[in-house]
Every structure is written in structure tokens, then in C-alpha cells.
Amino acid sequence: MSDLRREDRSQSASDEAQDESWRGDRKSMQSERRRFPRPEKAAEGALPPPALQPLKFSTRGMEPGDQFAAWQTYVAPLADVRLPDNASPEAGFPADHTAWNLGGMLVVQQDAPPHSYMRSQAKVKANHVDHWHISVLSSGRTWTEVDGHVLDGEPGKVELRSLGHPFRGRSTEAKVLSLFLPRALLLDVPAPVEIENNIALSGVFTNMLIEFLDSVEHNLARLAATDLPHVVQTVRNMIVAAISTSAAQSTGTEQHSALALTERVRRFVEANLISGDLTAERICRELGVSRTRLYQIFEQYGGVHHYIQRRRLLSAHAALSDPANREQIVDIAFAVGFSSAAHFSRAFGKEFGYSPREARNLTIPRYVGQIISPAPSGNSHSFDEWLKTLGYYH
């Protein structure tokens, strides 16, 4: 037994000596490593720079008596606004408007006191804008009327209406997130789906859309240029899904029928814009509508021919102001459906106030914004220009 104990003690002593040797070696290795500079971590891939610079406007730094007039001027391209009957301009109108241009979609954050608004028929005809307008309130209430149908807006709802049709309404003090989408973005919705005007979307896809838009809003300042097309396409797809599954009720009125037909014609025009035989006769034939009915509906827009020509001119303007497009002006004119270079040049000058050749020097950056004055007339980066050129970039 004593021999075994001695053997155990000997083995234990050997193990302790070996452990001590390992500890010494590790200390030596650590000491050796500390003699040399620690290797730097591999540099992570640099994040791409943010692509968006917002277009900001605020009345808060102005004299109270000047605030509402400045706000009226700024939003005039979209709607005419008025104060409530019991409100005085001298009391002030502290409001903020921040726009972000994603190329295929505008995102606008607005915070404003109570007011009424109206997009008249004259304004619809005058400013060439007929985009879809999507609005989501985070606070406040709105009431918007189109052809006798009033839509009650509140947080949790997504409203959809066309800027190509007159509307009017009023708002309490409210914060709202708005999207402006060109018609071309919603051209290829599923065939059975009719996009109606002045409706509130509802259902699970609408709730998902609201959550996604909240995330987009919080990340606008961090989006890279490569992110923008994906964001626009995702928003578009979610809107189409919400429209397709929405429980929004149709008004069932004759006015609603006219609005639905108007939207069908608009979609057909956009889809066939470069076709040389895009005529009222073809529209009537392919959509199954009478010539009289078609003319009645588009009389308020200056007629079917005028509407088609305006859309063609906007498409030509986009091509001319694209620095990557070096086609001859006459080729662009023919490509968008004009059969005469002289006719194209005259119509272009009448529509925009300058010649097609001058348009070559009027390139408007897709995503760039800047802080602008209360009266942005003549500013090529104004909210007005962003609205007019939305969807006409290549």
C-alpha cells in the first residue's frame, strides 16, 4: 500500500509540474504576442452613401402673420387651401412639409394646423398632374369629397385618390404621410382589379402596408441609391395587394361609374402611349365605350386628344432631359407618337414654355432636394417640378 501511495504522490507531483510548465508556456506565448502590434481587424465594407436629400419647407421661422400666405403659395401646385372661418391669418400657421424623391415615387411628411383644401377642375387641367395619392394619418382627422362621396380619414386607414380628378375637403390639426405614385406604376394590376377613386383600403394587407410605410419613413435618410427601386416596387406591390383584398365599398353611383371608366381609359392610354394609332376610335373599340360617352367624360380634361398629347409630351420631355439619352429630337418625337416634327415642336413649346432643344439643358436630378424659399417659382428643384416630372425618368 505504501508503494502505491508513493506512486500516487509521484504521479500527482508530475502532473502539477506539467500543468505549471503549460502555464509558463502560455504566459510566455502571451508575452511574445504582446511584443508585436495587434493585427487590425479587416475593414468592413463601407456602407453606400445615403441617396436622398429632402426638400424641406417650414413656416415656423416666419412672422405669424406671414405663415399662412407662404403655406398657400407652397402647396398651390397641389391644392388651394383656406383657413377655417373662425381662424385669423395673424394668429399664425406653423406647418412643416418634407418631400423625398425616390425616383418612381414621392414621399411627403406633413404637419399642419386645421385648414380646408380644394383641387379644382381648373387646377387639374392646368398643372399636368394626375398621379395617385396615398395618405396615411398618424394624428388628426380629414374629410375629403369627390363627386358627392365623402371619405372620412383617420389614423389606421389608408386613403387612395386620383389627382386627375377634382376633390375638396377639410382637416383638423394633423400629421400625415403621403405617397405620390405615377399612373404607370399601377398599370399592370391584375385584370379583375379596378382601381377606384377616393376609397379607404382595409384588411390585413393594408395593416402590413401601414407598418412597412412606417419603417420606410424612419429609414428615408439612410437609403442608398440601390435601395430605392426595391422600396418603390415593394410599396407598389403592397398597395396592389391591399387594393385587391380591400373591403372598401363601392358607392354604386353613376359618378362612380364615370370615375371607373376614366381610370380604365387613363390606364389604356399609358399602356399604349407610343402607339401611332392611339385614337379615340381605338379606345372606344377596345374598351367598349361609346364615342359620346368618352367625349363627355374627358371634356373636363380638354378632350381625349388633348389628354393623349399631354402624356406624349411629358414622355418626350423625360427623354430630352435624360443626360444618357442622345437620340435626335425628331426621333424622340416620332417615338412618342408624333407624326410631324414641326407639330411636335409647336406643341412642346406651348405646353412647357421652352423648345425641345432647350429641354436638353433642363435635367432634373432624381433624388436631390434642397431647402427652398416660400415662393419657389422658377426653382427647378421645387415641389412643383417634382410633381410634374414624377414617373417620367428613364
Side-chain angles (χ1 to χ4, degrees):
M1 291 292 293
S2 60
D3 291 339
L4 289 174
R5 291 193 188 97
R6 282 196 296 273
E7 190 173 321
D8 288 342
R9 283 197 297 271
S10 175
Q11 182 64 43
S12 177
S14 175
D15 290 343
E16 289 179 4
Q18 188 172 8
D19 288 346
E20 186 65 30
S21 174
W22 274 106
R23 284 193 289 269
D25 289 344
R26 288 175 64 188
K27 288 180 180 178
S28 176
M29 291 168 64
Q30 291 170 354
S31 177
E32 287 295 322
R33 281 201 296 266
R34 282 195 288 269
R35 292 179 186 176
F36 301 97
R38 295 181 184 273
E40 295 184 2
K41 291 183 179 180
E44 297 181 1
L47 293 175
L52 303 179
Q53 297 180 34
L55 193 65
K56 295 183 177 181
F57 177 75
S58 177
T59 64
R60 297 182 188 275
M62 306 174 189
E63 292 295 325
D66 298 332
Q67 290 178 344
F68 186 67
W71 184 259
Q72 280 183 309
T73 301
Y74 190 72
V75 300
L78 189 61
D80 298 315
V81 295
R82 294 178 57 187
L83 287 171
D85 292 339
N86 59 351
S88 168
E90 300 304 317
F93 193 85
D96 301 295
H97 187 282
T98 302
W100 306 77
N101 191 343
L102 279 67
M105 176 177 73
L106 297 186
V107 178
V108 174
Q109 300 158 303
Q110 179 175 302
D111 183 359
H115 64 281
S116 63
Y117 48 88
M118 181 173 71
R119 183 167 175 80
S120 65
Q121 183 60 59
K123 191 172 290 290
V124 170
K125 291 175 64 175
N127 73 352
H128 321 299
V129 172
D130 66 350
H131 311 311
W132 288 108
H133 178 213
I134 312 289
S135 61
V136 183
L137 287 167
S138 58
S139 67
R141 297 283 296 275
T142 60
W143 295 266
T144 307
E145 181 260 324
V146 175
D147 285 345
H149 173 58
V150 178
L151 188 64
D152 184 352
E154 59 186 358
K157 286 185 176 180
V158 174
E159 298 177 64
L160 183 150
R161 67 182 52 89
S162 170
L163 297 184
H165 198 84
F167 61 80
R168 63 179 180 176
R170 63 186 179 91
S171 171
T172 66
E173 182 175 358
K175 291 184 179 181
V176 60
L177 180 71
S178 291
L179 308 180
F180 296 92
L181 282 69
R183 289 187 173 273
L185 200 61
L186 298 181
L187 280 181
D188 57 344
V189 297
V193 177
E194 288 289 347
I195 305 179
E196 301 174 7
N197 190 13
N198 202 38
I199 60 172
L201 307 179
S202 60
V204 64
F205 282 104
T206 298
N207 295 334
M208 292 171 63
L209 173 62
I210 293 174
E211 293 176 3
F212 184 70
L213 291 179
D214 182 64
S215 176
V216 170
E217 184 177 10
H218 283 83
N219 286 280
L220 285 167
R222 292 189 286 272
L223 292 175
T226 53
D227 297 328
L228 304 184
H230 301 292
V231 172
V232 172
Q233 188 63 33
T234 301
V235 170
R236 177 261 176 211
N237 291 343
M238 296 185 76
I239 289 172
V240 170
I243 292 171
S244 302
T245 61
S246 176
Q249 298 297 311
S250 168
T251 63
T253 63
E254 177 63 21
Q255 287 93 339
H256 171 72
S257 176
L259 288 174
L261 178 56
T262 303
E263 295 309 325
R264 288 177 61 204
V265 175
R266 289 180 186 276
R267 291 176 61 187
F268 184 84
V269 169
E270 292 296 331
N272 296 276
L273 200 57
I274 63 174
S275 175
D277 65 342
L278 181 57
T279 62
E281 289 74 16
R282 181 184 172 192
I283 293 172
C284 292
R285 182 175 64 253
E286 298 208 21
L287 297 185
V289 59
S290 72
R291 188 184 184 95
T292 301
R293 180 67 166 150
L294 182 66
Y295 281 14
Q296 285 176 343
I297 291 175
F298 274 82
E299 182 180 2
Q300 59 187 328
Y301 303 104
V304 182
H305 174 74
H306 182 261
Y307 178 77
I308 293 172
Q309 178 168 287
R310 174 188 289 179
R311 307 311 291 181
R312 284 174 165 165
L313 288 170
L314 282 168
S315 184
H317 192 290
L320 289 167
S321 60
D322 180 0
N325 188 330
R326 304 316 301 170
E327 289 183 274
Q328 296 293 319
I329 293 176
V330 65
D331 293 333
I332 291 175
F334 292 153
V336 297
F338 283 86
S339 58
S340 163
H343 177 215
F344 169 72
S345 184
R346 286 194 301 271
F348 192 97
K350 183 177 180 180
E351 190 76 18
F352 299 109
Y354 44 84
S355 70
R357 191 170 302 279
E358 290 174 307
R360 289 283 195 194
N361 302 318
L362 294 175
T363 302
I364 302 172
R366 282 190 179 192
Y367 315 123
V368 177
Q370 63 188 54
I371 297 176
I372 65 177
S373 65
S377 58
N379 191 324
S380 64
H381 302 311
S382 71
F383 182 56
D384 184 18
E385 286 297 326
W386 274 10
L387 281 173
K388 287 181 179 179
T389 56
L390 176 63
Y392 286 94
Y393 291 106
H394 296 286

